[in-house]
Structure formats: structure tokens, C-alpha cells
Amino acid sequence: MLEPLLLLSSTIHVLLAPYTKVEESFTLHAVRDLLLKGVNKEAISQYDHVEFPGAVPRSFVGPGMLSVISYPFVRIADELGMLRSGYEVQILIRLVLALVPSLSLIFLARRVRYAFGAKVARAFVLISATQFHLPFWISRTVPNMIAFPLVQCAIALLIASPKVQLKKTNARLPLFAFAIFTFAALVLRLELGALLAAFASEQLVRGTIGFVPLVTCGLVSAVASLACTMAVDSFFWQKPIDSFFWPEGSSFFFNVVQGKASDWGTSPFYTYFALSLPKLLLLALPFAFISLFVDRRARRIGIPALVYVGILSGLQHKEWRFISYVVPVLNICAASGIQAIGALFASKKLRRACLAAIVTVNTIFTILGVLASRNNYPGGEAIRVLESLVQKSGRTGITNVHVSSHAAMNGASSFLLTDSPFSVDSDSPWYLTQRNKVDSPTSRVAYSKSESPILDSPQAFADASESFDYLMVDATDSTYPSEWVEGGLWKVVAEVNGFGGFGKLWRGEKFGTKEVRSVGILERLR
């Protein structure tokens, strides 16, 4: 059985790149708050999202589901004495998140075996497990990946063998699938409404589902989903229950209706088709397109997937995460295309050679992706360097450290800052009972992520009431380090590099990743 490869692949990515970035912070920190502080109005006032609300509100339903699933794993690991720092808890939560999408892909693979046959299912698993982006991202705490397993389960329920007569039991599966789609769209990611529409249209055209049952199912699911998110999120965002607070609706209005998403960059219409899909699928992409011409089973899922990509191409702001949901579908199509080519030429060797070529290319690009991603979280690495410096300095008492937004956005999560064995954190996390067994450090570290406008110069940091001893600053700024070392207030004691691209052999550069200065660690002189 090859199915465990899906979980193994995502697990390896978590262990090789354990840190997180700013787009993952809301869900990650919400899970930490839910696990640590509980659910009551007094506790919510201390949640991370109260101090750092972000540009648009996000639903707590996703983090709530992840925290519920993670709790028994964290509790067991704590009882076994396996958790000594927030860094390890963060890894465990990401491993749990990786588990759920992996299981949804395994479920999808089994439905593929039922509809397409064992050979296509095996090829689908091998293609999916060896790609870089999908296994790497399914453990990332972004709302897209919380919605991802729900979408895969829904798509799996829509896959059926054309040889099987539509029985009453089977007729309910599409309705159940669209109920899942509706929940995922209205609660977690509203762009999924376009994917729902694409698959619903395909089902209506084929006559596998009636219009009235579909609309009825949609209305009931929509009312239940909206009631769920409004009740939960009104509580966590401290809104009146009669305000009809709907995070995904607010996000859609802000990003799409008001066009604010364009502030994060715009891309031409063809980006998803010409750049994103080739990058995501690599050599599997042409085989996916071939299947659309030769296999009607592939057309039934592949065409709605491409329609969805076409709809999202109309939005100016584009990120590959927005179309990540259809990558498994196109991998199924690619596996079907390989099988079709082998059958066309009556050659097992050709089919195996095509699959081997796809897996080989995937593996090469995965290795390159891992090399890049390991160096792409300098903020997280800077925490490790900083704490080592503090312990070696011989300081006693409390050492005050300011963490810039640049460092916080690139890996310095609250799990690392607050739940470190060296932190002065007063929360005493229940999931770190082994923390007291760690050798007591001579100096504790108090981290501050304050974004106060008063802290706008080296002199301001030196005169701050917090009396900062160390600063973690943005070393990519053009004025670094000159503005910091002038005046004799601070000195650079360490620098952490980040990913700066790959060496270009045709320019005489060495093969491998290039590093660029990213986070500077400064020590106060006076």
C-alpha cells in the first residue's frame, strides 16, 4: 500500500521546515490561545487577535476544529514528557494538521481506485506524495489548508464509476458533498463558492442530481453554516450577536468588493494557467490535459476544476493557495492520462516510464524546494541564536528583547517567544509540565512585539521604558546597520540569513541556495 506515503511526505516537510510565517499566525496563535487560556470572555480579552487583529477578521471555527483535534495529542505528549518548549508544541500541532489533509487524500485515493482502478490510484498517490507544494503546505496553518480536507472529501464523494447504476444511496452522496462545500465556503474560504458552482453545474448537466434537491440542500446548509460562524465568531470577536458578524463575508467585501486585495500585488489573467499550474504540477500537467480528451471520468472532475481556476483568474490578486484545492483533482487526471497513453500503445513499459519521469522531476524540484524553505524562516532561527547569546553573555535576571515585525512575520511565533524555556512567560502552559525539569537558565528573556510609533529610532529604543537589552531588527533595510551603530548606542552581535535564491551556473555561481542578510541582532551598549 502506497497511501502512507502521503502522510510520510507531509510529516517530513514539517520536520524539515518547522517554523511558520505571518500568513499562518492567526490560526496558529488562535489554537494556542484556545488550548492555553480556555473559552470565556475574560480569557478572550487576552487572545492574540485582540492585540493583533489583522487587516480582516478570520473565523475561529477552523482554529477551533484544529484545537479540538490537537488537544488529545498534546495532552498525551505532555503526559509522556515529550514537550519541553513551545517550539515542540508548534511542531506537534502542525503534524496533527498534516494528518487530517493526508487522511482526506487517502480517502480520495480510495474513491479513485473505485472509479478509475488500482493503477490510476497508485499513480495518483505517487504523483501527489512526491510533489513539493502540496505536501509542504497541507501542514501550514492558513485557512486554505483548514478547508482543504473538507474539499477533498467533498470531491471524493462526487467521484463515481460510470458503470455503476445510480442507486438511492449513491444519489445522496452528491448532496452530502455540496453540503460540505457550502460549509467550507461560507465559514472558511468564500472562494470555494466558485468551486461549488462549477461542480454543481457539472452534476446538473449530467442529470445525476436534481435542481430542487440541490437548491434545498444548499439553502439548509447555508443557513446552518452561517448560523455556526456567526454564533462562534461573534463570541470570539466580541461582537453583539445581533450584528450578524460574518468574517468571510467581511473578508470578501474588503478584498474583492473594495479591491483591497490588490494592495498585496496584482497578476495578469493568465497567471494561474501559465505560471501557477505548471509550477504546481510540473510534468504531470500535460498528462492531465491529455486525460480530458480520452477519459470521460477525468472530464467530470477535471473540467469543473479548470473552470474554477478560470473564475479565480478574473481576480487581480492571485496566490497559488487559492487554487490548491484542485491540485489533487488534476493529479488524478494526470494519473488517468498516463494510464490512457499506456493503453493506447499497449505498453506497460511506456506507462511506467511516464510515471517514473513525473516522479523523478517531482523529486528533484522537491529537493530544491526543501533547500529553499529551510532557509526561509530567519525570524524563527533568530530566536534560537538570541537565546544562545543571552545564556553565553553571563547576564542574570531579566533580559528585555524587542522583536521587530519583520522577525515576527518570518518565523518568530508566540509558541517560540512565550513558551520558550528561557521566557519570563507567566502563563505557565499546562502543556509544558516538563519545562520545570529544564536546567534553569541564569537569565530569563522578556520579549516585546510592540509596534508603538514612539519606537522609531535607535535612540528611542535606547530610551524606552522597557530598557531593551537586545533588538531583533530588519537587516534587509537599506539603512541597516549604519543607523543602528552610529552614536555608539547599539552594536551588531549576530546576523541571521534568509533564502536569497539559487545560484545560477551560467553566471559562474555555485549550485545551491544563496543567502541574504535578513535579521540583525543588536546589543545595547549604554
Side-chain angles (χ1 to χ4, degrees), residues 39 49 117 225 291 303 376 421 431 455 471 506:
V39 181
H49 76 285
S225 299
S291 72
I303 290 179
N376 208 23
Y431 46 69
L455 301 174
L471 307 178
W506 57 89

Side-chain angles (χ1 to χ4, degrees), residues 495-514:
E495 292 176 336
V496 178
N497 295 332
F499 177 65
F502 288 98
K504 299 175 177 61
L505 296 177
W506 57 89
R507 293 183 179 177
E509 299 173 345
K510 294 182 179 180
F511 175 76
T513 57
K514 295 190 295 184

Side-chain angles (χ1 to χ4, degrees), residues 440-479:
S440 179
T442 57
S443 177
R444 295 284 185 176
V445 181
Y447 291 104
S448 170
K449 294 192 295 182
S450 173
E451 297 179 359
S452 170
I454 299 176
L455 301 174
D456 60 356
S457 68
Q459 184 66 52
F461 276 103
D463 297 338
S465 58
E466 293 91 337
S467 299
F468 292 117
D469 300 293
Y470 290 91
L471 307 178
M472 294 170 57
V473 303
D474 183 358
T476 65
D477 191 284
S478 60
T479 59

Side-chain angles (χ1 to χ4, degrees), residues 27 31 61-66 97 100-101 137-138 140-151 184 188-189 325:
T27 299
V31 170
V61 175
M65 293 189 296
L66 180 56
L97 178 56
V100 179
W137 271 90
I138 59 176
R140 295 285 161 186
T141 54
V142 292
N144 310 80
M145 295 303 124
I146 302 294
F148 182 87
L150 295 175
V151 175
L188 300 174
R189 292 298 306 186
Y325 319 104

